[in-house]
Amino acid sequence: MRVAIQHEDFDVGLELARLREGDARVGAVCSFVGTVRGGGVLDMELEHYPGMTERAIEAMVDEAHRRFDIFAARVVHRIGLLRPGDQIVLVAVTSAHRGQSFQACEFLMDYLKTQAPFWKKERTADGERWVDARVSDDAALARWGIDAGNAG
């Protein structure tokens, strides 16, 4: 399974071991783990449309395979109530050499940040607010030749 959307936390070491298991071609494994930032945020709640979100992220992984010479990719994204310091997302990629893994991992994270259908609500001491994509997130995706058009 390449994509998992789940309430439960994940074990990075276990996920990386499974990703490269039995593939002697793998010379590089790159990963990114996102965590919930504090800075006034008390907690965050993530919602998604089951099935639609997984299909959208699978399409992103397919696009990463078309663009980069990679062997495998794994995306784990959590939903539900999360607190500062909690792991929220894992993106991991394998390839023969580090360059393709680094690029594919960064591409997938930029793509996820702006195009994955998640709805995030932050709660602070001042109340709750829905979190929109930022202009900087769209700019990060634009460098891959993809116009996000979310923020503005």
Side-chain angles (χ1 to χ4, degrees):
M1 180 171 41
R2 300 185 311 175
V3 175
I5 310 296
Q6 61 193 43
H7 285 88
E8 305 79 27
D9 198 6
F10 49 86
D11 180 326
V12 175
L14 182 61
E15 294 290 343
L16 296 181
R18 287 179 178 158
L19 186 64
R20 67 179 192 204
E21 184 176 35
D23 192 343
R25 302 171 302 163
V26 173
V29 179
C30 290
S31 64
F32 172 84
V33 176
T35 59
V36 177
R37 282 189 305 268
V41 174
L42 301 174
D43 57 45
M44 171 184 284
E45 184 146 8
L46 279 90
E47 299 175 8
H48 79 301
Y49 281 129
M52 182 180 85
T53 302
E54 289 86 345
R55 285 191 300 277
I57 296 172
E58 283 285 347
M60 294 173 194
V61 172
D62 290 343
E63 182 64 22
H65 276 277
R66 281 190 287 279
R67 288 174 177 247
F68 306 100
D69 188 14
I70 60 174
F71 300 136
R74 173 85 167 138
V75 175
V76 180
H77 207 296
R78 293 182 66 198
I79 55 172
L81 187 64
L82 300 169
R83 294 188 168 74
D86 286 349
Q87 297 183 128
I88 188 169
V89 64
L90 166 70
V91 173
V93 177
T94 64
S95 68
H97 304 285
R98 69 180 185 269
Q100 293 293 299
S101 283
F102 276 127
Q103 289 183 345
C105 191
E106 195 167 14
F107 169 79
L108 280 169
M109 199 55 232
D110 288 343
Y111 213 161
L112 277 169
K113 192 81 175 164
T114 60
Q115 302 299 298
F118 289 103
W119 291 266
K120 299 177 190 174
K121 187 184 337 180
E122 288 181 348
R123 190 170 64 88
T124 68
D126 298 327
E128 296 177 342
R129 71 176 186 97
W130 290 99
V131 179
D132 294 324
R134 297 176 298 182
V135 171
S136 61
D137 296 331
D138 283 353
L141 187 61
R143 71 188 164 120
W144 302 105
I146 299 171
D147 180 22
N150 289 313

